[in-house]
Amino acid sequence: MKSEAEIENLEIRLLLETIFLRYGYDFRQYAQASLKRRMRQCLSECGITLISEAIPKVIHDRTFLNRLVHALSVTVTHFFRDPLCYRALRKQVIPLLATYPFVTIWHAGCATGEEVYSLAILLREEGLYERVRIFATDINDHSLQIAKEGIYNINSMIESSQGYLDSAGKGALSDYYHSRYDLARIHAALKENIVFAAHNLATDHVFSETHLIFCRNVLIYFNKELTNRVLLLFEKSLVAGGILCLGSHESLSFTAVENRFIPISRDQRIYQQKVGP
Amino acid sequence: MTFPRPRAIVIGASAGGFQALRTLFPVFPEGFPVPILVVQHQPTHGSGPRGCSLLALHCRLPVREAMDKEPIQSGHIVFAPPGYHLLVEPDFTLALSTDPAIHHSRPAIDVLFETASDVYQAGLIGVLLTGASQDGTAGLQKIRQRRGMTLVQDPQSAESPFMPRYAIAHGAADQVLPLSAIALTLKQLGNVQHE
């Protein structure tokens, strides 16, 4: 006899399998607890009580599918989230990147773009922006569109001003946007060397010859298997001695690549790939 | 009272919570056989040492902030990091999320309580302490539905009575107790042998 919770887990598995088989979106290896919460919330907003009721709907109703995929994959962030991470990047990573004539950066899971523009601001202030190309990728088309536009609510920018200063910013955050009414538009110059692209970490392939991979608070949504897959993907994408920057409460401990990296800022979870075997 | 030894204890606290936790934590003996997971609302951009490292000074158990995907361990007190929700995964590991705030809070007590109850079912004890938020009530209700046990701090003994009062008013409390009695109950529950 299955319990109520086991039946719900069965329904979730069937729904995720259906989404994958019908459309190729693969959420089967997402961390279960937050996925379940997001799914329950989206379905209840759509007036669906039983998860299994969503199965026929998802097969035949593209609008519903889009809404569900958005709910399962969207992430929220803000400018200069975790200022100490940016401070460590300035101090410990910029000098390493500066030794290369041309620098490739992959921001994996850039969401709505706040953190990729934060990185661009930092690179500009450190004099590196002109020889950098940043690939900013996300699975969520809607988020990517917002990232490309680079238009944000002015209040969120003002709230992030302190974070910018705490990151050892050299001017003011408002130097990097025009405000009009309640909106802030990121300066076009900051976008010049950023390429936004759709990329699915669960199914897509490597980027080559990358010097820095920035992937913060993305792996928290994946289970161990998918996390390992993604970390191996990162390892292959990095040049020898390349840098991997994770979120402040993510770690390489107990992962498949633990022995391939050495921490260069333990507190801020910034790692360098080992050179050689 | 017959209640088997719990498989986990989850604690939620908001305004006035650090003081309450300081009273609660010293009661746990070394090697306490149950994991303790805590959401304490706090500002994301605080200065000075984090609250949980200060609380470690008052406690015989190791106290720290959760790391994503770490295994849940008995006899450890683990806090949700500021700015992250703390969740329990079915394989008894911890997970974090940066999903939107709930009741203006991230971490939210409801997120921890609900996901822990999904995993520990009737083996979960939920404790709601002082605070000025509605957070925690839905989570306690879920724990009760699954036949876990819920303890709510007596509002009269709470620095900020709103949160416990809200939970009691919504029928989410199995027992309403002053802090000292909550401490004693938790300690005794840890001593019960598994059946």
Side-chain angles (χ1 to χ4, degrees), chain A residues 3-5 8 31-34 36-38 40 74-76 78 81-83 217 219-224 227 247-251 254 269, chain B residues 45 50 65-69 71 81-84 87-91 93 95-100 102 106 110-111 114-115 118 121 142 146:
Chain A
S3 72
E4 211 176 293
E8 192 187 49
Q32 286 189 37
S34 52
K36 198 190 260 191
R37 275 194 66 86
R38 286 174 161 209
R40 280 180 189 150
V74 70
T75 51
V76 290
H78 53 84
R81 185 191 173 113
D82 298 327
N217 302 315
L219 301 178
I220 54 177
Y221 289 100
F222 298 165
N223 73 9
K224 286 191 183 96
T227 297
S248 59
H249 288 76
E250 297 169 319
S251 151
F254 313 114
R269 312 292 160 180
Chain B
H45 303 292
R50 293 272 172 84
E65 279 181 9
M67 287 296 290
D68 185 56
K69 294 185 179 51
Y84 292 87
L87 306 91
V88 175
E89 281 288 313
D91 63 353
T93 58
L96 301 175
S97 99
T98 56
D99 282 1
I102 292 172
R106 191 178 63 199
D110 282 339
V111 174
E114 287 174 18
T115 58
D118 278 343
Q121 302 278 318
K142 186 86 178 258
R146 298 255 158 89

Side-chain angles (χ1 to χ4, degrees), chain A residues 100 209-211 235 238-243 272-276:
Chain A
Y100 298 104
E209 296 293 296
T210 305
H211 300 95
E235 199 220 349
L238 285 170
V239 299
I243 306 293
Q272 182 169 29
Q273 190 173 37
K274 285 182 186 168
V275 183

